[in-house]
Amino acid sequence: MRPADPPKSSAEVIDRGGRDRYAGGMEVNLSPELQTKLNDIATQQGRETESLVQEAVERMVDYDEWFLREVEKGLAAADRGEFIDHEDVGKLIESRYTG
């Protein structure tokens, strides 16, 4: 595997790969410290920095979509009057944190 090429600028991390996928691209400014960490991880994994950024953004977006769906489910249950009693919440928490 060839090592990842370090980006010429922090904006290049996102913008270079994005132009092929959609019109307009995107520019993201990273701190020098974050850019160094990203480059180090890419080098260690033998990957391009762009693919790491793409994966990180996909994970964040997927998680955000999942979280919002779960919130909507909870709100719908509350609207239907489906609640968990205080005692049941305590038992649930206790069962998860005791071996």
Side-chain angles (χ1 to χ4, degrees):
M1 291 186 200
R2 78 176 181 94
D5 296 325
K8 293 180 180 137
S9 72
S10 57
E12 186 179 9
V13 170
I14 295 285
D15 193 39
R16 185 172 48 175
R19 277 185 258 169
D20 295 338
R21 292 181 189 87
Y22 51 88
M26 179 178 282
E27 182 176 319
V28 175
N29 295 312
L30 303 175
S31 69
E33 296 83 13
L34 184 56
Q35 186 172 343
T36 297
K37 288 178 183 180
L38 179 64
N39 290 335
D40 290 347
I41 292 169
T43 299
Q44 290 169 2
Q45 294 183 7
R47 296 175 61 186
E48 297 290 329
T49 54
E50 293 86 353
S51 71
L52 291 176
V53 172
Q54 180 72 27
E55 182 180 323
V57 170
E58 286 174 359
R59 284 184 187 183
M60 188 272 310
V61 169
D62 289 346
Y63 174 81
D64 195 55
E65 289 174 340
W66 168 83
F67 182 80
L68 292 174
R69 280 192 311 270
E70 294 301 308
V71 168
E72 289 298 322
K73 286 180 192 177
L75 292 173
D79 287 344
R80 292 188 304 268
E82 298 171 3
F83 297 99
I84 299 175
D85 292 329
H86 179 75
E87 288 180 15
D88 292 336
V89 171
K91 289 176 185 176
L92 178 63
I93 291 171
E94 190 174 318
S95 71
R96 287 191 181 177
Y97 294 104
T98 58

